[in-house]
Amino acid sequence: MMDWLNNQIEVPSESFYRLALTKQQQLTKPPGSLGELEGIAIRLAAMQQTTAPTIERIWVSIFAADHGVAEENVSAFPQIVTTEMVKNFVNDGAAVNVLSRYVHAQFEVIDVGLLKPVTLKKLITDRAGDGTANFSKQAAMTEQQLKQALLAGKAAVERAIMQKTQLFIGGEMGIANTTSATAIACAITGLSVEQLTGAGTGLGSKEIQHKSQVIYNALSLHQQQLRSPLKVLQSLGGFEIAALVGAYIFAAQQGITILIDGFISTVAALLAIEINPQVQLWYFFAHQSQEKGHQLVLEYLQAKPLLSLNMRLGEGSGAVIALPLLQMACKLHNEMATFEQAKITTN
Amino acid sequence: MMDWLNNQIEVPSESFYRLALTKQQQLTKPPGSLGELEGIAIRLAAMQQTTAPTIERIWVSIFAADHGVAEENVSAFPQIVTTEMVKNFVNDGAAVNVLSRYVHAQFEVIDVGLLKPVTLKKLITDRAGDGTANFSKQAAMTEQQLKQALLAGKAAVERAIMQKTQLFIGGEMGIANTTSATAIACAITGLSVEQLTGAGTGLGSKEIQHKSQVIYNALSLHQQQLRSPLKVLQSLGGFEIAALVGAYIFAAQQGITILIDGFISTVAALLAIEINPQVQLWYFFAHQSQEKGHQLVLEYLQAKPLLSLNMRLGEGSGAVIALPLLQMACKLHNEMATFEQAKITTN
């Protein structure tokens, strides 16, 4: 039932990669002087199989779900805030709304498992359950729920494809989801709970210690189950994290560029790599967040994020903030004069 | 004749700073979770004396000049490239042209002292001389030329003000100008030639050693003259560096926000601070370049640049690339819902 996750992911075009690399050497600048922007343009050319890559049609899907583990007091905000923020998203009031407008991205919000369903204009309902179970006591979700949540991510990308999207950004909202993501990161990377557990939306040091303990106990409880990335996800995950995993894998299968946001999204990106490694060929990592575990997981992935602005908001915001860099990289690649056109001496 | 440099620079409004700080606490996000973007919006509100800062009218002035020290073989490109790139700028073919179009900035190029005058449509001519003298043998410029170059910067800001510019970006073009900027940085900061000398547009390690030696000798030659920032600039400067100094100081005197580009621009920003310290209250530092000395000069200034993308192109390009961050910071500040508006629980 989850076989689609293993469907083949193509390698971006090597021939367009080489063409773009050559083009960069011909543009009127010292070779390499545009730094990371050169590599961005080259990779996008290879992904889009074109000599003139563009990032014009951008899609932002925000997956929202509740977490049973919130009852362990692991977040600075009460659980009801997940639903309240969903309302804020559909009313265009959140950071990611403002940013999506700025970059002219198409924007949608999906309820993949709030505690209780809400009826809101513009809210997409694709629920895997009434929040996850408290993973400090039992598996976060059933296999059926996992399958459902992964498909919710796939469905979002299907909608994006209908609009000819060139770049997919996934965001998340779910009170207590740094607890879930941290537990997953520990299970996959083998890094310690102490190393990876951070402040989330704003815990103090005592509260972080409590959060660590909850994660530590949960990892012990589920130890026997953590034998595969999908089992890790089922045991410790959130529905929104599973949706991101499904979205990333399906986007890569469809040849769509993926821009990864912060800690939660990076953990979903990590799980997706564990399931289908070639997915990473379609990733850009947008930023390094202030959340403690993010830097370590990025290092584990040997990922170099584009920005480091001490953000820690999630909801896709850091990814949208990095988006203009990709657009500018494309414009430079396509619109700069070559040495020959500009008649510039290069001896 | 250069008295205007010491005219007062106002402190951005403390009351609007405080209002903006309070507003940031009310927006629907965990406090501090927008990282550096919060501080950007707050500072811009204070600079613009408004509760709703915007960055809509952007001005990019590129100052181009030749350097006598180019005859010491300190650059990977021949001196003629300064003029050739000026043609590229007026023909809209350079990186900074593409980027300025992307952010809808007004763009101008000023000849502040190419080796020979050129007549080009759209080129502004405001020359301090036929290139500087070779500072490894004599002072780079006369006092009269220094005065003239500083005024060329002031004149650019005067044009920007006519267009109600909110943010000024200065760029530079001048083969061998990292040699000049490095010498200036050594003279002002006391850091060693070895620490500060880098590859410029692409020197190898042997050539960097030669460049270091040229700078070292020049610093010895002028030692007695390096008693004030203006004397340093006159002895070791380029006309385009002096123009940037004049532009930064006059922009700050006029209450215009300044976005500093890479190594050369940062050295000009350093000189401007040495001349009129309050100028720094109007600075944002756009990026940390790959040029070796840049990080050290930024540290000397205790400046935290917004981006670090291994760029090393100059011509204002890194500053324009950071510009969307300032715009997004403003949009978030102005357009996000507050907790009260969105009815979000914050206990």
Side-chain angles (χ1 to χ4, degrees):
Chain A
M1 301 254 280
M2 295 186 281
D3 287 352
W4 66 272
L5 294 170
N6 302 113
N7 287 352
Q8 201 194 335
I9 294 171
E10 301 275 352
V11 177
S13 161
E14 278 184 47
S15 55
F16 282 101
Y17 187 97
R18 275 195 298 270
L19 282 173
L21 193 61
T22 304
K23 170 99 188 265
Q24 279 289 330
Q25 306 309 310
Q26 298 165 341
L27 301 176
T28 46
K29 59 180 172 58
S33 63
L34 283 172
E36 314 303 342
L37 299 185
E38 299 188 7
I40 291 172
I42 292 166
R43 285 190 63 204
L44 286 170
M47 290 175 182
Q48 297 183 359
Q49 304 195 37
T50 177
T51 54
T54 59
I55 298 289
E56 278 159 16
R57 295 178 303 280
I58 307 139
W59 189 276
V60 178
S61 291
I62 308 295
F63 302 101
D66 275 308
H67 289 254
V69 75
E71 69 191 32
E72 302 295 329
N73 291 310
V74 288
S75 173
F77 284 85
Q79 190 169 34
I80 186 67
V81 169
T82 309
T83 298
E84 290 173 344
M85 279 300 294
V86 165
K87 290 178 187 164
N88 199 21
F89 293 137
V90 300
N91 290 330
D92 278 337
V96 70
N97 297 104
V98 175
L99 296 168
S100 296
R101 271 201 301 275
Y102 177 83
V103 301
H104 306 292
Q106 294 211 54
F107 177 86
E108 62 171 26
V109 196
I110 306 108
D111 168 9
V112 283
L114 296 173
L115 203 54
K116 296 177 197 159
V118 281
T119 307
L120 291 168
K121 219 176 127 180
K122 295 201 287 180
L123 176 64
I124 294 169
T125 301
D126 197 350
R127 293 166 57 81
D130 301 336
T132 50
N134 180 346
F135 70 70
S136 74
K137 297 185 174 154
Q138 64 189 97
M141 57 187 99
T142 66
E143 194 176 332
Q144 178 59 31
Q145 288 179 319
L146 171 61
K147 186 199 124 197
Q148 194 72 30
L150 289 160
L151 285 174
K154 180 170 181 272
V157 174
E158 282 165 347
R159 290 188 293 275
I161 288 170
M162 297 271 285
Q163 303 300 320
K164 303 190 190 306
T165 292
Q166 296 170 302
L167 183 133
F168 178 84
I169 291 171
E172 39 58 46
M173 179 69 219
I175 292 300
N177 69 5
T178 64
T179 302
S180 171
T182 304
I184 292 168
C186 291
I188 301 279
T189 65
L191 292 165
S192 75
V193 178
E194 289 66 32
Q195 282 176 288
L196 286 171
T197 308
T201 50
L203 296 178
S205 62
K206 269 227 163 117
E207 299 158 312
I208 293 174
Q209 203 159 352
H210 169 67
K211 178 175 165 183
S212 293
Q213 194 61 53
V214 170
I215 295 168
Y216 188 86
N217 294 346
L219 288 168
S220 306
L221 175 68
H222 297 288
Q223 198 173 359
Q224 298 304 315
Q225 301 304 316
L226 306 177
R227 289 181 309 262
S228 76
L230 287 171
K231 284 292 180 193
V232 169
L233 187 48
Q234 186 185 333
S235 302
L236 305 169
F239 295 137
E240 81 282 37
I241 296 174
L244 286 170
V245 172
Y248 293 156
I249 290 176
F250 190 66
Q253 287 168 343
Q254 297 295 315
I256 293 172
T257 303
I258 300 157
L259 185 54
I260 310 287
D261 185 31
F263 180 59
I264 317 285
S265 302
T266 300
V267 169
L270 168 68
L271 280 166
I273 290 173
E274 295 287 317
I275 294 166
N276 196 336
Q278 300 227 115
V279 67
Q280 65 190 304
L281 300 174
W282 297 86
Y283 286 167
F284 286 93
F285 289 88
H287 77 123
Q288 183 187 301
S289 88
Q290 208 180 33
E291 176 65 14
K292 190 177 168 196
H294 195 203
Q295 187 172 348
L296 292 169
V297 176
L298 287 168
E299 281 170 13
Y300 180 86
L301 290 169
Q302 299 182 288
K304 271 177 59 179
L306 296 167
L307 297 172
S308 182
L309 293 167
N310 288 317
M311 294 176 68
R312 50 179 173 81
L313 177 54
E315 66 182 50
S317 57
V320 189
I321 280 174
L323 197 277
L325 295 177
L326 276 64
Q327 291 183 321
M328 288 188 278
C330 291
K331 300 258 181 209
L332 288 163
H333 189 79
N334 302 336
E335 297 177 20
M336 279 180 74
T338 63
F339 283 116
E340 199 179 326
Q341 287 165 342
K343 299 192 182 61
I344 288 176
T345 312
T346 55
N347 65 309
Chain B
M1 301 253 279
M2 295 185 280
D3 286 355
W4 66 273
L5 294 170
N6 301 114
N7 288 351
Q8 201 193 335
I9 294 171
E10 300 275 350
V11 176
S13 161
E14 277 183 48
S15 55
F16 281 102
Y17 188 97
R18 274 195 298 270
L19 282 173
L21 192 63
T22 304
K23 170 101 187 265
Q24 279 289 331
Q25 306 307 309
Q26 297 164 341
L27 301 177
T28 48
K29 60 181 171 58
S33 62
L34 283 173
E36 313 303 343
L37 299 185
E38 299 189 6
I40 291 171
I42 293 166
R43 284 190 62 205
L44 286 170
M47 289 174 181
Q48 298 183 358
Q49 304 196 37
T50 177
T51 54
T54 60
I55 299 288
E56 279 159 17
R57 295 180 302 281
I58 306 139
W59 189 275
V60 178
S61 291
I62 309 294
F63 302 101
D66 275 308
H67 290 255
V69 76
E71 71 192 30
E72 302 295 328
N73 290 311
V74 289
S75 175
F77 284 85
Q79 189 169 36
I80 186 67
V81 170
T82 308
T83 297
E84 290 173 344
M85 279 300 295
V86 164
K87 290 177 187 163
N88 200 21
F89 292 138
V90 300
N91 290 331
D92 277 336
V96 69
N97 297 104
V98 175
L99 297 167
S100 295
R101 273 201 299 276
Y102 178 83
V103 302
H104 306 293
Q106 295 211 51
F107 178 87
E108 63 169 28
V109 195
I110 306 107
D111 169 8
V112 283
L114 296 174
L115 204 55
K116 293 177 200 161
V118 280
T119 307
L120 292 168
K121 219 177 127 181
K122 294 201 292 180
L123 176 64
I124 294 168
T125 301
D126 197 349
R127 294 167 56 82
D130 301 335
T132 50
N134 181 346
F135 71 69
S136 74
K137 297 184 176 157
Q138 63 189 99
M141 56 188 99
T142 65
E143 193 176 334
Q144 178 60 29
Q145 288 178 318
L146 172 61
K147 184 198 128 200
Q148 194 72 28
L150 288 160
L151 285 174
K154 178 169 182 274
V157 175
E158 282 165 348
R159 290 189 293 274
I161 288 170
M162 297 272 284
Q163 303 299 323
K164 300 190 192 307
T165 293
Q166 295 170 303
L167 183 132
F168 178 84
I169 292 172
E172 40 57 46
M173 180 68 218
I175 293 300
N177 68 5
T178 64
T179 302
S180 169
T182 304
I184 292 168
C186 291
I188 301 280
T189 66
L191 291 164
S192 76
V193 177
E194 288 66 32
Q195 282 176 288
L196 287 171
T197 308
T201 51
L203 296 179
S205 62
K206 268 228 164 118
E207 300 157 310
I208 293 174
Q209 204 159 351
H210 169 66
K211 179 174 163 183
S212 293
Q213 193 61 51
V214 170
I215 295 168
Y216 188 86
N217 293 348
L219 287 168
S220 305
L221 176 69
H222 297 288
Q223 198 172 0
Q224 298 305 315
Q225 301 304 317
L226 307 177
R227 289 181 309 262
S228 76
L230 287 171
K231 285 289 179 193
V232 169
L233 187 48
Q234 186 186 333
S235 303
L236 305 169
F239 295 137
E240 81 282 38
I241 297 174
L244 286 169
V245 172
Y248 293 156
I249 290 176
F250 189 66
Q253 286 168 343
Q254 297 295 315
I256 293 173
T257 303
I258 300 157
L259 186 54
I260 310 287
D261 185 31
F263 180 59
I264 318 283
S265 302
T266 301
V267 170
L270 168 68
L271 280 168
I273 291 172
E274 295 287 318
I275 295 166
N276 196 335
Q278 301 228 113
V279 67
Q280 66 189 302
L281 300 173
W282 297 86
Y283 286 167
F284 286 93
F285 289 87
H287 77 124
Q288 183 187 301
S289 89
Q290 209 180 31
E291 175 66 13
K292 190 176 169 196
H294 195 202
Q295 187 172 348
L296 292 169
V297 176
L298 288 168
E299 281 170 13
Y300 181 85
L301 289 170
Q302 298 182 290
K304 271 177 58 178
L306 295 167
L307 296 171
S308 181
L309 293 168
N310 288 318
M311 293 177 67
R312 50 179 172 82
L313 177 55
E315 66 183 50
S317 57
V320 188
I321 280 173
L323 197 276
L325 295 176
L326 274 64
Q327 290 183 320
M328 289 188 277
C330 290
K331 300 259 181 208
L332 289 163
H333 189 80
N334 301 336
E335 297 178 19
M336 279 181 72
T338 63
F339 284 115
E340 199 180 327
Q341 286 164 344
K343 298 192 182 63
I344 288 177
T345 312
T346 54
N347 65 307

